[in-house]
Amino acid sequence: MSYQVLARKWRPKSFESLVGQDSVVRALTHALDANRLHHAYLLTGTRGVGKTTIARILAKALNCEQGVSSQPCGVCSACQQIDAGRFVDYIEMDAASNRGVDEMVQLLEQATFLPSVGRYKVYMIDEVHQLTVHAFNAMLKTLEEPPAHVKFILATTDPQKILVTVLSRCLQFNLRQVSPTQLTSHLQHVLVGEGIAPDLKALELIARAAGGSVRDALSLLDQAIAHGAGAVDAEQVSQMLGTSNISRMLGMLAALIAGDVAAVRDQTAQMASSALSFESALDDLSRLAVSLQLMQFDASEGAQEFSSLAEDDAAQLRSLASQCSRSYAQLIYQVATKARGDLRLAPDAAHGFLMAMLRLLAVHPGHASAVTPAMSVPLNTPVFSSSVSPPPMAPALSQAVVVPEAAQPAVSPVAEAPVVKEPVVAPVTTQISADQWPQWVDRLGLKGMARELAQHSAFVSLDDGLVTLNLPATHRQLLMPASEQRLVQALSEVMGAPIRVRIDVVEQVGVTAAVLKKEAAVERQNNAVAAIESDPIVQELIDVFDAKLIDGSIRPVAK
Ligand SMILES: [Zn+2]
């Protein structure tokens, strides 16, 4: 018996065995079982996702001698002939092929005749957007007034090019690209069926290279079997595809996190000598950085499932996740993705790749030039430049700026945040000075309009239980009996004695809490900007990544 390629041998013959198109299968199954069939379907999706396969199964479901159902028997002559591509009433046409135009027109014009042996005449027209004008018109004529015995299954990889006159007459299904995980498990199923021991890592490489196409995945598997003389293993597949493999990039990741320049250099040289694609290596490194970071935030099984790594690779990545700081994982992703775009500018791919790895070592938290006092400080706590004494109101980095932490294990508890001294608050006393008034306002615990009134007033005197305040004429509207009453109450409570209040409206006032607050805010903002600009890490980010500080994006962190 001659060798049959896997893609044909393993073409699904029933809806249940179709890979990765659950929603389409559900809709078609339901329509068939409820006998509510449309006369024309449009299947869209990239190559090799199952458009022709679905058409054949649908043709069988409609013409099976056992009756119309979502589960054609597969053994009657109609089913077998459709599977073999020999059924007279199932007409498969590829509009992209150079099949004679006249022949296509003729086939479409025959749609009006009753089926010869089957229940329905089923037309499968692939790449329907490429039909010639004549053939298209012949199809449209039938589509506009479809005889009861005709079903159209139109397929295209480019739905944008389908005319609206056709779209409006079809029930449309979008076929999804099959995920690498689904492809891997399908390939595994096929290999077991072929009596070949499946190597999961090899299958993952193939699944990824197939780009969501079952047919391409099976073709690659065919090649891999031929390449490996009947066996399939990751190293061989990696060589065959010219792609890097995850295990290799895990080694690179480990070298980066360890800051081991010799290992980085040697591994790059090895990759160059085995002519592996540095682009795919950077892709793998980016993927690993994402999985690494996910594992740092999420210790559950889900993180491992997401990364779809083999058991031992996942264990290694998990261990790396505990040795790498969260911000360094971010940097690895950023540098790897950026380097991929820069590869074409590099003198050659190997140099471009190596430079990207060295860049990661240059900004490594453990590297001498990258170590600064700021690096041992956790994110979102005040950061001072060591040469400058702390400003009075502690500035802090904007939350939007990523600051590499030290290379401490991410699981270890973060250092205690430096204690920020509270401003000295006036003790409770019947002596109040104008300067202390703003702090008194804070102590009063007022809300709403009463607080506004207190904040905008300046203290004049406290004499025999009478507090005199000045309110600027510009804020005259704040002077309301209810607010005044609450201010009196609050003052009396805090001072522990009945207090009366007199508020004079004047043109000029002294120090008010509102004015002080505004000045303090301006000062805090200036300090925050200065701290960001002078921060060595920020400087490094600007130098290395050509980063820019966005005006107005710096905010002092609220205490
Ligand atoms: Zn049948």
Side-chain angles (χ1 to χ4, degrees):
M1 193 180 150
S2 65
Y3 181 73
Q4 197 179 10
V5 296
L6 293 176
R8 284 186 64 183
K9 187 172 174 187
W10 288 87
R11 166 169 266 169
K13 294 192 164 65
S14 65
F15 284 126
E16 300 96 80
S17 52
L18 206 67
V19 182
Q21 304 298 349
D22 297 350
S23 58
V24 180
V25 165
R26 213 176 307 123
L28 285 176
T29 304
H30 182 258
L32 281 163
D33 291 339
N35 201 16
R36 295 175 60 172
L37 285 162
H38 213 261
H39 64 272
Y41 294 91
L42 176 63
L43 306 178
T44 64
T46 53
R47 42 180 271 112
V49 290
K51 298 189 290 290
T52 308
T53 301
I54 288 178
R56 286 193 181 179
I57 300 171
L58 191 56
K60 282 193 289 184
L62 290 166
N63 282 309
C64 177
E65 287 166 11
Q66 307 290 323
V68 175
S69 88
S70 63
Q71 289 165 312
C73 75
V75 292
C76 69
S77 79
C79 284
Q80 289 203 331
Q81 284 181 21
I82 291 171
D83 278 339
R86 282 188 278 110
F87 193 65
V88 282
D89 293 317
Y90 174 64
I91 301 113
E92 229 171 66
M93 315 164 60
D94 184 354
S97 77
N98 44 13
R99 194 168 175 174
V101 175
D102 293 344
E103 195 190 340
M104 285 205 227
V105 174
Q106 203 186 351
L107 280 170
L108 285 163
E109 281 173 350
Q110 282 169 3
T112 45
F113 302 132
L114 286 173
S116 325
V117 290
R119 217 173 274 118
Y120 292 97
K121 247 185 180 159
V122 181
Y123 282 86
M124 158 63 178
I125 308 177
D126 203 1
E127 297 301 357
V128 64
H129 64 275
Q130 292 194 32
L131 274 183
T132 58
V133 178
H134 274 91
F136 183 80
N137 286 336
M139 177 189 76
L140 199 58
K141 227 166 91 186
T142 322
L143 204 57
E144 278 170 340
E145 288 171 36
H149 62 266
V150 172
K151 300 285 177 206
F152 277 106
I153 302 164
L154 310 179
T156 181
T157 50
D158 197 352
Q160 311 290 332
K161 290 193 180 142
I162 304 284
L163 293 181
V164 71
T165 44
V166 174
L167 279 181
S168 63
R169 289 178 167 82
C170 294
L171 199 57
Q172 187 175 340
F173 289 116
N174 298 312
L175 272 59
R176 304 189 323 164
Q177 291 202 337
V178 184
S179 74
T181 317
Q182 284 172 318
L183 277 179
T184 305
S185 78
H186 182 58
L187 293 176
Q188 197 177 358
H189 172 72
V190 168
L191 268 195
V192 170
E194 292 289 314
I196 297 171
D199 174 347
L200 215 55
K201 287 185 200 176
L203 299 186
E204 274 161 11
L205 285 175
I206 292 174
R208 209 152 259 158
S213 160
V214 183
R215 185 169 60 216
D216 288 356
L218 287 173
S219 301
L220 288 173
L221 189 59
D222 260 328
Q223 290 177 37
I225 293 170
H227 215 258
V232 176
D233 79 72
E235 197 53 46
Q236 251 162 1
V237 169
S238 164
Q239 270 181 11
M240 177 191 93
L241 296 172
T243 54
S244 82
N245 66 55
I246 288 287
S247 304
R248 191 185 285 276
M249 288 321 286
L250 265 171
M252 183 62 82
L253 190 63
L256 287 171
I257 291 171
D260 184 347
V261 66
V264 166
R265 179 200 61 212
D266 292 348
Q267 290 190 32
T268 307
Q270 267 175 29
M271 288 165 66
S273 70
S274 31
L276 294 184
S277 153
F278 284 101
E279 283 192 2
S280 79
L282 287 169
D283 283 347
D284 281 342
L285 189 60
S286 305
R287 283 195 196 96
L288 282 174
V290 174
S291 298
L292 179 86
Q293 180 102 90
L294 187 62
M295 283 176 175
Q296 289 176 331
F297 282 101
D298 175 9
S300 73
E301 288 286 300
Q304 187 170 330
E305 248 166 58
F306 175 85
S307 63
S308 65
L309 290 172
E311 200 62 43
D312 53 339
D313 286 345
Q316 195 187 345
L317 191 62
R318 196 171 289 285
S319 133
L320 287 174
S322 67
Q323 296 160 34
C324 173
S325 73
R326 294 181 176 189
S327 48
Y328 196 54
Q330 286 281 331
L331 282 176
I332 293 172
Y333 178 85
Q334 201 174 353
V335 169
T337 47
K338 191 172 190 306
R340 197 188 187 291
D342 288 349
L343 271 191
R344 64 195 168 80
L345 304 174
D348 59 69
H351 278 84
F353 178 85
L354 182 56
M355 196 57 183
M357 299 304 105
L358 293 176
R359 177 176 299 174
L360 278 170
L361 290 178
V363 296
H364 192 286
H367 191 268
S369 80
V371 172
T372 71
M375 302 197 68
S376 59
V377 179
L379 216 54
N380 297 338
T381 52
V383 174
F384 305 120
S385 170
S386 55
S387 58
V388 182
S389 62
M393 302 295 262
L397 287 180
S398 151
Q399 303 196 358
V401 177
V402 176
V403 180
E405 303 155 34
Q408 59 185 343
V411 290
S412 74
V414 291
E416 287 286 319
V419 177
V420 178
K421 276 190 182 167
E422 291 292 323
V424 179
V425 174
V428 179
T429 165
T430 45
Q431 301 294 313
I432 305 180
S433 73
D435 290 350
Q436 290 168 343
W437 176 245
Q439 281 135 37
W440 275 89
V441 172
D442 281 343
R443 291 180 66 88
L444 293 177
L446 291 165
K447 291 200 167 56
M449 297 305 283
R451 183 177 172 79
E452 290 288 299
L453 175 64
Q455 278 189 332
H456 284 92
S457 300
F459 178 85
V460 179
S461 63
L462 167 58
D463 201 7
D464 198 18
L466 175 69
V467 172
T468 306
L469 302 172
N470 278 349
L471 181 70
T474 48
H475 288 78
R476 184 194 301 273
Q477 76 281 3
L478 292 172
L479 199 56
M480 288 183 291
S483 304
E484 220 173 320
Q485 188 55 40
R486 273 189 281 156
L487 180 57
V488 168
Q489 269 173 14
L491 277 168
S492 304
E493 276 169 28
V494 170
M495 293 189 186
I499 296 287
R500 289 162 295 129
V501 172
R502 199 184 87 200
I503 300 179
D504 299 325
V505 176
V506 297
E507 288 305 317
Q508 291 280 326
V509 299
V511 180
T512 69
V515 170
L516 278 185
K517 212 171 145 189
K518 204 166 166 184
E519 282 172 0
V522 170
E523 192 183 348
R524 260 188 19 245
Q525 176 67 22
N526 290 343
N527 286 335
V529 172
I532 288 278
E533 283 174 353
S534 66
D535 186 90
I537 306 303
V538 173
Q539 281 306 324
E540 185 119 30
L541 287 172
I542 289 173
D543 293 344
V544 175
F545 297 114
D546 197 21
K548 284 194 183 67
L549 280 175
I550 297 168
D551 288 342
S553 72
I554 301 168
R555 299 260 179 283
V557 172
K559 280 185 292 168

